[in-house]
Amino acid sequence: MEPDNSTLEPFLLNGTAEAASTDAPWDPATLLGLQISLSAILAVVTLATALSNGFVIATIFLTRKLHTPANVLIGSLAVTDLLVSILVMPIAILYTVSKTWTLGQIVCDIWLSSDITFCTASILHLCVIALDRYWAITDALEYSRRRTMRRAGLMIAVVWVIAISISIPPLFWRQAKAHEELTDCMVNTDQISYTIYSTFGAFYVPTVLLVILYGRIYVAARSRILKSPAACGKRFTTAQLIQTSAGSSLCSLNSASNQEGNLHPMVGAGPGQAGGQGGGGGRTGGSGGSPLFANSVKVKLADNVLERKRLCAAREKKATKTLGIILGAFIVCWLPFFVGTLVKAICKECWFDPLLFDVFTWLGYLNSLINPVIYTIFNDEFKQAFQKLIKFKPCY
């Protein structure tokens, strides 16, 4: 008696069903919905990256007071990130969602070269901006004479030369496989020497440089800020004219008498009053004086010094926060991708989920959206220029 095939069919097809469920855990409708949702999210990120960098470029171009070497470097960074959003991210959306390359060898070569070049240039721009700020804060007088548009242009040229030198080598061994049918488009990590060269040149060395530069910038800025209140306080107690709350009288503080606790109030020059030496109707000040007047001056001085210290502390906190955001965003966005790339090249037995690597790749692209926000949101001139640009007012 032959067994009923209908009853055995589920068991006979069990292995096939499991394999199918492994390859496609969702039904076609659900998978299509996920692809559409993912495409929409990545498209929004791409559009936001293009718009934000476009606004930075337009703001710098249309605002005369922003035409400085430092802002030229920021504008060049925005141009680089704009190129990432226009030439790299749209094709990356198609490849990420479809998981199959259908655009041919030539487009693959152009896309990969653009990806490596622009992303590397974006990272290296962060280094030259940090280097420019380091020179400006540690050698302000000398560097102010050498901080020219020509110097900024030279720094930008060096960035692009390094970025192109990192992106060119993969073209040679990709052309050797041009006759093969192309189903995926990615940099071949079998060339370990190139992988080490590219990852260290594009990320690891720039990261070490950024950490060193921003560490020294923070130390130098903190040192200058902490010295300011002492110098400021000294000026208040030696040569500052202070208006008391009691009236329009002015007092000058002598450093020697101030150390002894003696104050010498001067005569307010009013109608019918003599100045300097006591005259008709005037009040003369000797070593003594009104205790209320002296206390008012002391309180005024203490308030000014404390207020300056509070402002300095706020500036120090803002500088620390800015540096932390710059370094933190850069490392969080790019570290997973470059660590994964290096591990894949060195450890052939190691396995990476393709979905996880897609997340790492787009996290790196996200840095091109974060850059214009970080480098402009903490700058009052940029914020004012942005507001004028949005309101279609002329910028000067």
Side-chain angles (χ1 to χ4, degrees):
M1 181 177 179
E2 294 183 1
D4 186 2
N5 291 334
S6 62
T7 58
L8 292 178
E9 186 175 0
F11 299 98
L12 293 173
L13 299 179
N14 187 42
T16 306
E18 289 182 358
S21 64
T22 302
D23 296 335
W26 298 292
D27 59 89
T30 304
L31 186 60
L32 180 61
L34 290 174
Q35 289 177 331
I36 294 174
S37 301
L38 180 60
S39 300
I41 294 172
L42 298 182
V44 169
V45 173
T46 301
L47 181 61
T49 304
L51 290 177
S52 59
N53 286 286
F55 268 114
V56 171
I57 296 168
T59 301
I60 295 175
F61 181 77
L62 296 175
T63 308
R64 292 180 183 177
K65 66 179 180 180
L66 296 180
H67 294 176
T68 63
N71 289 328
V72 166
L73 294 177
I74 295 177
S76 181
L77 171 65
V79 170
T80 306
D81 289 331
L82 181 63
L83 291 174
V84 173
S85 67
I86 294 175
L87 300 179
V88 177
M89 295 171 72
I91 298 179
I93 294 175
L94 178 63
Y95 189 36
T96 301
V97 174
S98 65
K99 290 297 182 182
T100 303
W101 185 262
T102 59
L103 301 178
Q105 180 71 47
I106 296 177
V107 177
C108 175
D109 291 342
I110 295 174
W111 179 65
L112 280 181
S113 298
S114 301
D115 189 354
I116 297 173
T117 302
F118 298 148
C119 291
T120 302
S122 178
I123 294 172
L124 294 178
H125 268 91
L126 303 182
C127 291
V128 296
I129 291 173
L131 193 61
D132 174 75
R133 291 184 175 182
Y134 171 73
W135 284 333
I137 197 170
T138 58
D139 191 16
L141 294 178
E142 182 64 24
Y143 186 60
S144 62
R145 293 191 291 268
R146 295 185 282 112
R147 197 182 197 183
T148 61
M149 292 293 187
R150 183 178 179 181
R151 187 183 184 92
L154 180 61
M155 296 170 74
I156 294 171
V158 171
V159 163
W160 284 104
V161 168
I162 296 175
I164 292 173
S165 67
I166 290 176
S167 66
I168 284 179
L171 288 174
F172 297 105
W173 57 76
R174 281 206 300 272
Q175 288 302 319
K177 299 182 178 180
H179 62 280
E180 300 178 3
E181 184 179 355
L182 199 66
T183 58
D184 55 13
C185 181
M186 61 182 63
V187 177
N188 188 359
T189 56
D190 292 338
Q191 302 287 340
I192 299 178
S193 58
Y194 170 74
T195 302
I196 294 175
Y197 160 72
S198 61
T199 54
F200 273 81
F203 177 75
Y204 292 107
V205 173
T207 299
V208 172
L209 182 61
L210 280 172
V211 171
I212 294 174
L213 288 175
Y214 277 123
R216 292 188 175 183
I217 289 172
Y218 171 71
V219 171
R222 189 166 182 262
S223 176
R224 290 177 59 180
I225 290 173
L226 292 178
K227 288 179 181 178
S228 298
C232 178
K234 185 176 180 180
R235 284 200 306 273
F236 275 129
T237 57
T238 55
Q240 184 74 10
L241 296 177
I242 300 177
Q243 184 175 3
T244 65
S245 58
S248 61
S249 300
L250 300 176
C251 70
S252 67
L253 302 181
N254 180 275
S255 58
S257 62
N258 183 52
Q259 292 175 359
E260 298 172 1
N262 298 324
L263 299 174
H264 301 276
M266 295 176 63
V267 177
Q273 291 183 338
Q277 309 292 331
R283 292 181 300 170
T284 60
S287 60
S290 169
L292 182 61
F293 182 78
N295 290 335
S296 174
V297 173
K298 289 181 180 179
V299 170
K300 191 78 174 183
L301 292 177
D303 287 345
N304 280 322
V305 173
L306 290 175
E307 181 63 23
R308 182 58 183 265
K309 288 183 177 180
R310 282 193 292 266
L311 291 175
C312 290
R315 286 170 55 194
E316 181 183 349
K317 183 178 180 181
K318 183 177 180 180
T320 305
K321 183 179 179 180
T322 304
L323 294 181
I325 292 174
I326 291 172
L327 277 177
F330 168 71
I331 292 175
V332 167
C333 287
W334 281 116
L335 183 62
F337 173 81
F338 282 98
V339 169
T341 301
L342 194 59
V343 170
K344 283 178 64 178
I346 296 176
C347 180
K348 299 300 182 181
E349 293 78 15
C350 298
W351 178 81
F352 272 95
D353 188 344
L355 179 60
L356 183 62
F357 209 77
D358 287 339
V359 172
F360 291 167
T361 301
W362 276 95
L363 196 59
Y365 293 154
L366 188 64
N367 191 238
S368 294
L369 172 60
I370 297 175
N371 282 336
V373 176
I374 293 177
Y375 282 96
T376 57
I377 197 171
F378 297 103
N379 189 315
D380 292 334
E381 290 183 348
F382 263 105
K383 287 189 287 188
Q384 293 173 4
F386 267 130
Q387 293 172 358
K388 291 181 179 179
L389 187 64
I390 293 174
K391 296 177 181 178
F392 299 101
K393 293 183 179 180
C395 302
Y396 302 102

